[in-house]
């Protein structure tokens, strides 16, 4: 089955994107991320020593399969985001940027206004922009219109592990989108990841749920399998949910009589 | 990883049990069930020509990995169930029986009273009894006490594809049970199967969701992967759901300043 | 609007049944129960001094509107339940009995087998039997067949305040039942009570959620209003849930042009 | 109990706001809206003949208790919204405006960017701005910062009757907001309205669910009661949801022995 995901100039075999935060050690991070077979891994620019090519995190992610996706986590507005992205492009030699603008340190929810403004500017500057946003269908369309290469709506508050609480809106976003839809934030279990893929998401990004598991490497494998399961199920089409009246798996007959 | 499931005298590598109903052809059924790698497959006794060793369904399920699990679907009370089980043992040469007693033809929900009565009788007659029941924790304990080798609580009305609607009770059942807990009925998507396994179920039984998919063989593979994902996640321990206050995947710093 | 509820020989204006457990004082209990306008109030037989007509709880419930409903909470099997009911009839001069048999002290979930057995015996002894049971549609039918005057399926584990977790099965029970369906256990908020009534339940029983509120009397009023709201909505018919495609509350026109 | 809601210069006894769309006749609308006891009723500016003081809708809403809330439904951007609001102020002699900007005619979801822009302009022009928006906590804070007198996040796609699908985000909005939070769109049943109030919403706006009921006047009463129930419950504090382990309403004793 040739079911690759295309974003800008890159082609991905894996639809599980991952992150580098919260692992208890770099060795565990490396083991888990390799086991996940993820090909796109986000790293917070603020955690990288951009002066140092031998930076610890970067050296662990140095692998032919892995594409680095720097993110702007920590910036509070469009201006800071654009500056951070430019810094990142220079230091890490990639024009891909995960755009995260969350002014509020408590819930880390994204700012729709600043995100759109920064996205527009960054697209003009030649970036491949992957914006982390609320599951707001209108905002997703506007981001697509200014040229982002995908949209990354959240499933639930980041770090909550609550799953697809925004399901009703993700369905609309998926229905309307002309760019890949990647569910970001809130995915706390492989079943959540499978569900996102069943709904028709093009990929998911998982970080916390892998990093804080008692066994991150095993959990990474679980997510890999779940994403594959959900993708296959989406293509094979799920049986419809039947309301009110049940039907037997096999017809009743009077076989005993 | 050696993570086998033991029921009575048999050991299973796969925790996905399947059924034979509703497939549009025997060829499709065979293809899907082989792809699922399921080692325990239920077949309605009423659909088998017990006089005929070359019966169509049975011949398709003739494979070294496959164990046949005849079920009593269609019987209305304990007496009929015991009779059907005895017939089955003689004809199919197995003392395993999936006990299904649903007097009502509309919703096909199991009868707790007759099921317990039949289970007790069948255990005394030397059967390995696998009872399909409501997700009733007290009933599950009573079945365990009369000697059933597992319990098979339903997740949702059979054929509804609604998933784990009985979740709160399944958690209690799993917490209390000394025999394997196999979630039966209602599982309509790989994400549901993964979720059941994450909760700690020992296995799931899936039939409709595979059989009525547009691509049963692909869907069987999706369920196989999802069950593996859920099982691994259960063992690696999921990150807890965080209520109210979110936490960032990576700490905020003043890196831009 | 004449919308009374009939059970056996009694007619109720209020569809909110209540209980007497967990209040921090008898005075608070009395205030809350009067404010609820409940006409059927359950009291655990084990908490009543049946030798003493001036028993504290009973004297607080002495009110022309209030019917006492003794319950068998604490018994572990049918035999104990029948004995308790007979004791109750003699002491409290009522043949109404709320039948609760929960052998397990941890979750207090009802035993389907013993409950049916006791119900059958008590009906023969002339009792008006109100059985607390799992939301098991087949068991509900069997109880109706042996002559219980209503069924009292649970919404969620008792004391959990989780609401109508058994919704899919309550719908089937309501659809099939020829006797009143009263949702018991799990109702933790007025919105849950309203929802039960919207689904078509004939009444709800609420205890913990009122008793442990910071303001039991206010909470009792809230439940009273919510039950009325849900009942009226059920009769006026709810608008259907619209999946997938939204519709505007008012049509779009080109009024600005 | 003095529990009034203050918005700008007005004080409301009722926390149920209503709308005028979708009623099958003006007489039914009038009957239902009076029965609801709603004091703030929204009307689409596009449906009003602003040249005609005897306009049909307006004349039906002419009642001392009723405050009219014109809305901008049908406009596609900030510029149109500001123009419509000014037209409305002149014609209807109110500076209150419900700001609705939904460029997409299929789902009628609000545009966050244009809504913030229009809100800022309208506040400067002296309007009392009530913005209909996605349940986006960051956007709500930004609207509050530009001076809107409340925020009106949606519960579910408009007209879907699905209830509080945005619950997790509404909780954050309510937690953070310094202006009243009014849940708008998606409320399809009195139980949903009660739930919104239990969560701590200051009011709800209901239109479709009343207008398309088989008995709009009865349904209006049901919503009135449910909103009161939810508000009282919020103030009396709900009992907490108990996970995992249940507790009995009354302690178990060995009373029968």
């Amino acid at each position: 089955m040739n079911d690759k995901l295309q974003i800008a100039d890159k082609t991905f075999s894996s639809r599980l994107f991952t992150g580098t935060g919260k692992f208890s050690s770099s060795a565990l991070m490396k083991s888990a991320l390799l086991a996940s077979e993820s090909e796109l891994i986000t790293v917070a620019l603020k955690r990288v020593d951009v002066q140092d090519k031998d930076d610890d995190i970067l050296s662990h992610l140095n692998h032919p399969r892995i594409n680095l996706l720097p993110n702007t986590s920590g910036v509070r507005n469009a201006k800071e985001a654009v500056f951070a992205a430019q810094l990142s492009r220079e230091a890490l030699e990639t024009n891909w940027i995960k755009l995260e603008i969350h002014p509020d340190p408590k819930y880390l929810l994204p700012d729709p206004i600043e995100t759109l403004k920064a996205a527009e500017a960054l697209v003009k500057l030649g970036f491949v922009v992957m914006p982390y946003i609320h599951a707001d269908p209108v905002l997703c369309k506007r981001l697509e219109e200014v040229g982002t290469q995908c949209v990354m709506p959240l499933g639930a508050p980041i770090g909550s592990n609550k799953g697809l609480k925004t399901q009703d809106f993700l369905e609309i976003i998926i229905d309307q989108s002309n760019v890949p839809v990647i569910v970001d934030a809130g995915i706390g279990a492989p079943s959540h990841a499978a569900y996102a893929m069943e709904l028709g998401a093009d990929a998911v990004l998982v970080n916390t749920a892998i990093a804080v598991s008692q066994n991150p490497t095993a959990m990474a494998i679980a997510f890999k399998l779940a994403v594959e399961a959900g993708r296959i199920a989406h293509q094979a089409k799920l049986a419809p949910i039947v309301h009110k009246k049940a039907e037997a798996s096999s017809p009743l007959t009077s076989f005993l009589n």
Side-chain angles (χ1 to χ4, degrees), chain A:
Chain A
M1 190 161 25
N2 182 2
D3 178 40
K4 304 283 176 91
L5 171 61
Q6 179 88 26
I7 300 177
D9 56 316
K10 290 194 205 296
T11 304
F12 300 94
S13 296
S14 163
R15 290 166 181 274
L16 173 60
F17 298 166
T18 55
T20 54
K22 290 192 175 175
F23 285 93
S24 58
S25 77
S26 293
L28 258 180
M29 179 189 82
K30 186 175 186 177
S31 163
L33 295 183
L34 287 178
S36 76
E37 296 184 14
S38 180
E39 296 164 359
L40 191 66
I41 299 181
T42 188
V43 57
L45 194 51
K46 67 191 173 201
R47 293 178 59 221
V48 176
D49 182 349
V50 291
Q51 312 294 326
D52 179 8
K53 292 262 173 179
D54 299 326
D55 174 80
D56 188 53
I57 284 190
L58 297 187
S59 66
H60 277 91
L61 299 176
N62 194 351
H63 185 281
R65 192 180 57 219
I66 296 178
N67 296 280
L68 219 60
L69 176 62
N71 71 57
T72 66
S73 177
V75 308
R76 288 156 303 182
N77 54 44
K79 197 177 153 200
E80 287 183 5
V82 171
F83 177 59
Q86 287 172 310
L87 209 73
S88 157
R89 178 160 58 180
E90 225 168 290
L92 304 180
E93 289 166 7
T94 172
N95 65 337
W96 286 50
I97 192 79
K98 180 162 183 258
L99 180 59
E100 299 187 15
I101 306 182
H102 32 62
D104 168 43
K106 188 169 172 200
Y107 293 106
L108 298 176
L109 291 166
D111 184 319
I113 315 294
E114 297 297 316
T115 303
L116 181 63
K117 198 188 295 178
E120 191 163 12
L122 288 169
V123 167
K124 283 185 185 146
L125 290 168
F127 282 89
V128 173
V129 180
M130 302 181 72
Y132 161 59
I133 42 169
H134 205 75
D136 178 334
V138 177
L139 181 60
C140 285
K141 284 313 281 182
R142 294 196 66 150
L143 285 161
E144 180 186 324
E145 282 160 21
V146 304
T148 65
Q149 300 277 359
C150 69
V151 288
M152 302 187 78
L154 55 78
I158 193 166
S160 72
N161 296 317
K162 286 186 176 177
L164 297 208
K165 292 298 185 178
T166 57
Q167 168 198 329
D168 292 84
F169 302 96
L170 291 174
E171 286 181 356
I172 296 174
I173 291 168
I174 289 166
D175 179 44
Q176 293 185 339
S177 189
N178 297 310
V179 293
V181 176
I182 299 153
V183 178
D184 186 12
I187 291 179
S191 58
H192 302 160
Y195 185 40
M197 300 307 293
E198 288 165 3
L199 282 182
D202 294 281
V204 296
L205 193 151
V206 179
N207 183 349
T208 304
I210 293 173
V212 311
S213 165
Q214 287 187 15
N215 186 341
T217 302
M219 193 58 85
I221 293 168
F223 271 100
K224 179 183 95 69
L225 295 170
V227 168
E228 289 171 14
R231 178 67 185 173
I232 294 170
H234 176 68
Q235 295 184 307
K237 299 261 185 289
L238 291 175
I241 290 176
V242 177
H243 291 287
K244 290 286 176 189
K245 222 179 106 247
E247 238 186 299
S249 285
S250 47
L252 284 173
T253 63
S254 51
F255 108 104
L256 281 172
N257 303 321

